[in-house]
Amino acid sequence: MQEYKNYINGKWVKSSSGKVFKNLNPANKRIIGVFQDSDEHDVSEAIESAENSLNEWRETPAPKRAEYLYEIANLLRDDQERLTKIMVSEMGKVYKEARGDIQEAIDIFEYMAGEGRRLFGITTPSELKNKFCMTTRIPIGVCGLITPWNFPIAIPSWKLAPALVGGNTVVFKPSSDAPLSALELVKIIEKSGVPKGVVNFVTGSGKDVGDPLVKSKKVRCLSFTGSRDTGEHILRNAGLKKVGLELGGKNAIIVMDDANLELAVEGIIWGGFGTTGQRCTASSRVIVHKKVKNALENLLLNKVRRLKLGNGLDKNIDVGPLINEKAVEKSVMYTEVGKNEGAKLLIGGKVGNREGNFFQPTIFTNVKKNMRVAQEEIFGPVVCLITIEDIDEAIEVCNSISYGLSSSIYTKNLNNSFKAIEKIESGLIYVNSSTIGAEVHLPFGGVKDTGNGTREGSSGILEFTEEKTIYIDFSDKMQKAQGID
Ligand code: NAD
């Protein structure tokens, strides 16, 4: 069985305890390999390595740092096919989506490489004569990156690319459900020639690797993507470091009575069952106008019946497995919760082929906005239909959750579109498109319980740099601001 190692100070090393954990293929439960079950000793070595390489890296001119990012993008592109297959086998998303995950990584490395020649600050007039004011962006220091398994190359890249071009060094802890894709990304970074110690990679549990990384005072910035509960725990333990949190969602598609229903159905299926419903931006709620409810249900039933569940390596498969057995249990549990709450099961609701972690694409209808299935993140292929009477009620239902990541409205009415854009509480809003489909050159993130205000994508550079304010007085006099004489 293949054993994979940590990457610390430019070397592939075993964990200090020698312990390992298994990584399984969710489509057939076969072992992919074993990974280092690291602990605080390994984290501490990784942090020391990142600290030691910080000065040289931050003094490397940003356009030079950017050259490594261009190289990483090129290497990812050359290896896209192999990496796609690894990702499908490791975490189950279907082939075309896994390829898209790697494409997103290529895009963000290229975009952030451009930052090497921007990293813009501002210049602004002074309130005094003969005084010049400007800002620059500076590195933060050692950054801890903790990522989930559902975008195992894209999400780490959304963090690594701005962190590196911004002049920081990093310790990267991937999810134990998808460490191989993350390791392959680190191998590519090594191949690109990024100097040793700039990127360090430690696998292991949230408790033994995540916690020490979060608590370390030597780590000045912690960027986390994952569940709300873990995010809250991190915020409580991180001390005074800069913390970026990208958390869960319970995203809604609103379908108004004038919507193109065929288009809306495509959006619901893509948003609800893409990545088997395991996206932070998954369309887990559909808020439908009462006049088109029956028509929408019929169209959905027609399409969902034909979705093929199976191993995503087969290009004819539409929906892959869930990540692990616990995720299947969670979907089973919420199906029971939905039924007990009085929602009507329109389709699905059953475990699929038990060789892997399969669960049927599931739709509940007659769901009420306060039911648990309409409020809590299931992170499985479960979509809830809620009926409304007008745009105001649609917006009210859309906002009736604690999360605020993505939302969408299907309508041909310009007034309704703009009302939704203005009043819906979410970081992203799509008109006549699903809740998924973010592009790297725009900000990405949510409001309310989805995070603490950071944005990734184009705004990642703000997360991974600090501003320095500079005043240059060339008056040869003691000048005081605020009119003090
Ligand atoms: P998770 O919170 O269980 O784990 C995320 C990461 O945190 C993993 O690497 C895990 O090992 C680590 N971790 C766990 N406990 C920790 C601790 N005590 N200290 C430090 N690290 C710890 O989430 P998951 O199941 O991997 O991912 C699914 C969740 O991520 C969903 O809620 C989803 O909505 C969210 N997500 C959000 C975004 C976004 O951009 N907003 C994107 C993708 C996924």
Side-chain angles (χ1 to χ4, degrees):
M1 193 187 315
Q2 176 113 27
E3 179 173 343
Y4 296 93
K5 296 183 182 155
N6 290 335
Y7 183 65
I8 298 175
N9 199 24
K11 292 201 176 71
W12 292 95
V13 292
K14 289 190 171 208
S15 65
S16 51
S17 70
K19 286 194 220 154
V20 292
F21 67 89
K22 286 179 197 154
N23 179 24
L24 304 182
N25 181 333
N28 53 28
K29 304 186 187 172
R30 287 196 201 124
I31 297 175
I32 285 176
V34 294
F35 288 78
Q36 303 307 309
D37 198 357
S38 316
D39 61 26
E40 62 196 81
H41 301 289
D42 307 294
V43 175
S44 149
E45 274 182 29
I47 293 173
E48 195 183 319
S49 155
E51 269 194 309
N52 292 342
S53 359
L54 184 60
N55 272 345
E56 199 178 325
W57 183 246
R58 84 168 134 210
E59 283 168 16
T60 304
K64 290 277 167 220
R65 296 196 295 256
E67 284 173 15
Y68 294 105
L69 272 67
Y70 281 121
E71 182 59 11
I72 294 166
N74 288 337
L75 290 168
L76 282 167
R77 193 177 285 107
D78 292 347
D79 223 0
Q80 195 164 4
E81 182 66 16
R82 189 182 69 88
L83 294 172
T84 299
K85 289 183 178 154
I86 288 175
M87 191 182 295
V88 175
S89 307
E90 174 173 58
M91 55 68 67
K93 68 169 81 171
V94 298
Y95 181 90
K96 62 182 177 204
E97 290 188 50
R99 209 177 158 83
D101 190 303
I102 295 149
Q103 188 58 48
E104 207 168 305
I106 296 167
D107 295 344
I108 193 73
F109 274 106
E110 281 183 344
Y111 179 85
M112 281 296 162
E115 276 300 336
R117 290 188 182 273
R118 289 191 294 268
L119 271 177
F120 292 137
I122 57 161
T123 61
T124 183
S126 167
E127 58 188 61
L128 296 163
K129 284 185 187 167
N130 298 324
K131 193 173 171 192
F132 187 86
C133 307
M134 63 181 171
T135 67
T136 58
R137 301 211 74 91
I138 56 168
I140 304 176
V142 175
C143 298
L145 314 181
I146 302 182
T147 56
W149 49 268
N150 67 336
F151 281 83
I153 291 192
I155 288 180
S157 301
W158 280 52
K159 300 183 189 301
L160 281 158
L164 294 180
V165 80
N168 307 282
T169 56
V170 309
V171 177
F172 165 30
K173 182 216 137 9
S175 163
S176 301
D177 277 314
L180 183 55
S181 304
L183 179 140
E184 290 289 345
L185 173 62
V186 173
K187 274 194 186 165
I188 278 179
I189 292 173
E190 179 190 26
K191 200 167 165 192
S192 76
V194 167
K196 71 180 168 73
V198 171
V199 173
N200 303 276
F201 172 76
V202 185
T203 55
S205 72
K207 184 169 121 319
D208 293 331
V209 176
D211 258 346
L213 194 56
V214 168
K215 287 180 182 159
S216 169
K217 289 205 160 67
K218 295 176 177 173
V219 173
R220 296 308 315 161
C221 167
L222 197 287
S223 179
F224 170 80
T225 300
S227 63
R228 177 173 55 188
D229 289 353
T230 313
E232 278 187 333
H233 172 83
I234 285 176
L235 204 55
R236 277 198 301 275
N237 287 282
L240 293 176
K241 57 177 66 69
K242 188 172 183 187
V243 180
L245 300 175
E246 303 292 338
L247 311 177
K250 189 74 187 175
N251 316 286
I253 291 182
I254 296 173
V255 183
M256 293 304 293
D257 51 346
D258 62 346
N260 175 340
L261 289 189
E262 296 277 353
L263 192 65
V265 164
E266 276 185 58
I268 294 165
I269 287 175
W270 176 224
F273 304 125
T275 321
T276 323
Q278 303 167 107
R279 290 193 186 212
C280 51
T281 51
S283 320
S284 46
R285 297 182 300 154
V286 173
I287 298 168
V288 56
H289 195 285
K290 64 177 183 186
K291 283 193 198 154
V292 291
K293 175 188 181 246
N294 289 342
L296 187 80
E297 283 180 2
N298 289 336
L299 284 169
L300 272 171
L301 275 175
N302 213 1
K303 289 256 161 117
V304 174
R305 259 190 213 118
R306 280 187 259 151
L307 291 177
K308 287 193 214 78
L309 197 58
N311 187 330
L313 281 178
D314 174 347
K315 290 187 186 158
N316 295 314
I317 289 298
D318 303 298
V319 182
L322 288 165
I323 186 67
N324 52 34
E325 286 174 4
K326 242 172 98 184
V328 177
E329 284 163 21
K330 196 174 174 192
S331 287
V332 170
M333 186 273 278
Y334 272 107
T335 303
E336 286 313 303
V337 168
K339 285 189 208 160
N340 292 338
E341 286 179 310
K344 180 179 161 201
L345 189 62
L346 200 62
I347 188 167
K350 291 206 175 69
V351 173
N353 172 1
R354 284 178 196 271
E355 196 184 306
N357 305 318
F358 294 101
F359 193 81
Q360 292 175 343
T362 298
I363 301 180
F364 273 111
T365 189
N366 300 347
V367 174
K368 301 282 173 256
K369 66 176 181 185
N370 293 328
M371 288 180 178
R372 282 184 65 196
V373 283
Q375 290 286 325
E376 297 171 19
E377 190 184 40
I378 300 173
F379 225 54
V382 182
V383 172
C384 296
L385 302 195
I386 306 170
T387 312
I388 46 86
E389 303 206 347
D390 57 29
I391 183 69
D392 293 323
E393 192 189 356
I395 292 169
E396 196 258 309
V397 171
C398 188
N399 289 342
S400 68
I401 49 158
S402 59
Y403 294 107
L405 182 51
S406 183
S407 36
S408 138
I409 180 165
Y410 282 81
T411 179
K412 291 185 191 126
N413 181 311
L414 194 67
N415 294 359
N416 284 343
S417 304
F418 272 89
K419 225 173 180 178
I421 290 169
E422 197 176 289
K423 297 199 167 163
I424 283 179
E425 298 162 353
S426 64
L428 316 168
I429 178 153
Y430 296 83
V431 177
N432 293 323
S433 183
S434 189
T435 54
I436 65 181
E439 300 178 33
V440 303
H441 57 293
L442 286 109
F444 180 90
V447 300
K448 293 159 77 177
D449 282 2
T450 294
N452 61 345
T454 44
R455 290 287 181 273
E456 297 197 322
S458 57
S459 297
I461 204 67
L462 308 181
E463 183 181 357
F464 288 101
T465 53
E466 304 258 36
E467 281 184 304
K468 183 175 271 182
T469 308
I470 303 153
Y471 299 101
I472 302 162
D473 192 315
F474 52 99
S475 68
D476 256 349
K477 285 191 295 198
M478 177 68 226
Q479 299 201 88
K480 294 175 186 161
Q482 289 82 45
I484 299 170
D485 201 1

